[in-house]
Amino acid sequence: ERWLCLFAFDGDILVGVLPLVVTERHLLGTSHIILRPPYNKHTVSIDFLLKSGYEKAAVSSFLQFIRVKYPNLFLLELDRIPDWSPTFNSLPDGPCGFAVHKEFHSFGSIFRIDCNFAGFQARLSSGFKKNLRRMERRLADMGEVTTVFLAGKDATGDGLDRFLRIEGSGWKGERGSAISRSDSLIDFYRILTARLSELGWLEWHFL
């Protein structure tokens, strides 16, 4: 595999970035190219990075370049793009020989809340509600249980150390897959939580 990183400019202004991994596959004696953004199990999604107002122009330029550079392109795969991404509205139907296929896979680990708690419960499946009741009984059997929700100025990056201790104390620590086992992941989440805290978007929920 190899890298392809695309940049779109309007004069001296950078208006779009798209990092891609190039994979060559051979099928029935024919070579096919598959392009996809870098991705691993810690990545939610990799999307086009687009300057506001330039979405359609930048995406169109990227697709035209890809089509010319890789005439034997089989697939350009953009995995788990959020439904609010401007990419969806910037992908024309059939540009430069592309056939656009959009497949929706729900919201992953995100559950949208647009109602009160009773309405939220009503939307859950019977099996999910049964599991919730079972977990509530198990918590009650443990004695006094306290939930702590930190948000706004109370939610700082300092909560990460507490989280890492908890995550590393169970089966993830035993199997070596806990975040605390990777210096690069620790650095990533320290920067992430610090930035989220500065923006006022960080929340810590402790049980």
Side-chain angles (χ1 to χ4, degrees):
E1 293 181 325
R2 58 189 185 275
W3 279 100
L4 172 69
C5 197
L6 303 181
F7 301 89
F9 288 88
D10 180 11
D12 294 331
I13 302 173
L14 179 65
V15 298
V17 180
L18 179 63
L20 294 169
V21 175
V22 183
T23 304
E24 187 172 359
R25 299 279 174 84
H26 296 275
L27 180 63
L28 299 177
T30 305
S31 173
H32 298 280
I33 296 296
I34 297 175
L35 302 178
R36 57 170 57 90
Y39 170 83
N40 62 35
K41 63 182 180 180
H42 296 287
T43 310
V44 176
S45 68
I46 298 292
D47 200 351
F48 291 86
L49 179 62
L50 304 169
K51 182 176 176 63
S52 179
Y54 287 88
E55 293 90 350
K56 287 184 178 294
V59 169
S60 178
S61 295
F62 286 149
L63 295 181
Q64 289 179 37
F65 176 85
I66 289 170
R67 198 67 216 162
V68 172
K69 184 174 179 62
Y70 298 105
N72 59 335
L73 178 70
F74 174 71
L75 177 68
L76 168 61
E77 183 179 44
L78 303 172
D79 194 28
R80 298 204 293 180
I81 301 296
D83 61 340
W84 43 260
S85 168
T87 295
F88 280 114
N89 295 324
S90 303
L91 289 173
D93 291 327
C96 303
F98 277 92
V100 179
H101 174 68
K102 302 175 185 178
E103 186 173 351
F104 294 92
H105 291 284
S106 75
F107 299 109
S109 58
I110 305 299
F111 198 104
R112 293 188 180 276
I113 305 295
D114 53 8
C115 53
N116 58 26
F117 188 67
F120 161 73
Q121 285 186 310
R123 291 167 55 185
L124 300 177
S125 67
S126 58
F128 200 104
K129 284 186 278 193
K130 182 179 179 180
N131 284 335
L132 281 180
R133 290 192 294 269
R134 180 170 57 85
M135 292 298 180
E136 288 173 353
R137 290 194 296 270
R138 289 183 60 183
L139 283 174
D141 292 340
M142 295 174 67
E144 183 179 356
V145 176
T146 303
T147 55
V148 178
F149 298 89
L150 301 177
K153 64 180 182 181
D154 295 323
T156 67
D158 296 339
L160 181 63
D161 291 325
R162 186 177 180 184
F163 170 82
L164 292 177
R165 288 197 304 272
I166 295 170
E167 191 207 31
S169 66
W171 63 268
K172 285 191 173 184
E174 295 173 358
R175 296 185 183 182
S177 61
I179 293 173
S180 59
R181 297 295 185 94
S182 169
D183 291 339
S184 61
L185 282 180
I186 292 174
D187 290 341
F188 170 80
Y189 284 108
R190 285 205 188 282
I191 294 171
L192 175 65
T193 52
R195 289 178 175 175
L196 291 175
S197 178
E198 291 171 2
L199 292 168
W201 296 352
L202 182 63
E203 292 187 8
W204 292 111
H205 298 182
F206 290 109
L207 180 66

